[in-house]
Amino acid sequence: AQSVTQLDSQVPVFEEAPVELRCNYSSSVSVYLFWYVQYPNQGLQLLLKYLSGSTLVKGINGFEAEFNKSQTSFHLRKPSVHISDTAEYFCAVSEGNAGNMLTFGGGTRLMVKP
Amino acid sequence: NAGVTQTPKFRILKIGQSMTLQCAQDMNHNYMYWYRQDPGMGLKLIYYSVGAGITDKGEVPNGYNVSRSTTEDFPLRLELAAPSQTSVYFCASSPLPGLAPESGETQYFGPGTRLLVL
């Protein structure tokens, strides 16, 4: 069975600083990987996804993530954060042969301070 | 397109009461899902459906029921509400795998229903 671990439950960072949100997964088959963002009192919105091809994936709002198969990781990065990036970020994995079933990590709360 | 819509936005229930959480999508997606979100726990899959008339249990189905009579609607039923069902509930939908490359397995989420059982 697949599982997703987000190592940091909270990440405080100052505005304009770089940030990395960590995600590790376990699966015995090939996977699709996703990052979703949840702004306060809203639903989840897709940030970016890895299905195949280039391991560096660019998403919305200046975020990017790199798929590392050997380390089973899919860390999310942004070179310079804004106050508006304050939100909860969820990493999720879908096994390629399991339809669209997603397994979510516990989430990381990004807190951007002025 | 309205995308995925959910009603109500917020509800307070007494223990033992029943209610139905409504979910609808206008994207003609085959797959629909119900999740619950508890603090620090991420999202847990309650039930899902791969098409009208077909539903299946997810990770945490106890205390819930679903039906899928149409492609558009996927209501979630709580028969005997319990405090453990206090949570935020999200509905999502996605196209058939492989038929929409630009969507690529993406799930689209509704705004959520916040439920408090007292």
Side-chain angles (χ1 to χ4, degrees), chain A residues 32 34 36 38 41-46 49 51 88 90 94 99-102 104-107, chain B residues 31 33 35 37 40 42-43 45 48 90 94-95 97 102-107 109-111 114:
Chain A
Y32 301 141
F34 304 80
Y36 281 86
Q38 184 181 31
N41 299 313
Q42 295 187 27
L44 277 72
Q45 177 183 354
L46 182 69
K49 61 190 176 189
L51 303 181
E88 186 104 22
F90 292 95
S94 171
N100 284 5
M101 298 302 109
L102 285 177
F104 284 87
Chain B
Y31 283 53
Y33 316 80
Y35 294 92
Q37 182 184 29
L43 278 74
L45 183 65
Y48 68 98
F90 288 100
S94 65
E102 67 279 8
S103 297
E105 319 290 339
T106 301
Q107 291 188 17
F109 284 80
R114 189 174 297 272

Side-chain angles (χ1 to χ4, degrees), chain A residues 7 14 22 55 73 88 90 102 109 114:
Chain A
L7 296 165
F14 286 105
R22 296 179 292 170
T55 57
S73 68
E88 186 104 22
F90 292 95
L102 285 177
R109 184 171 298 278

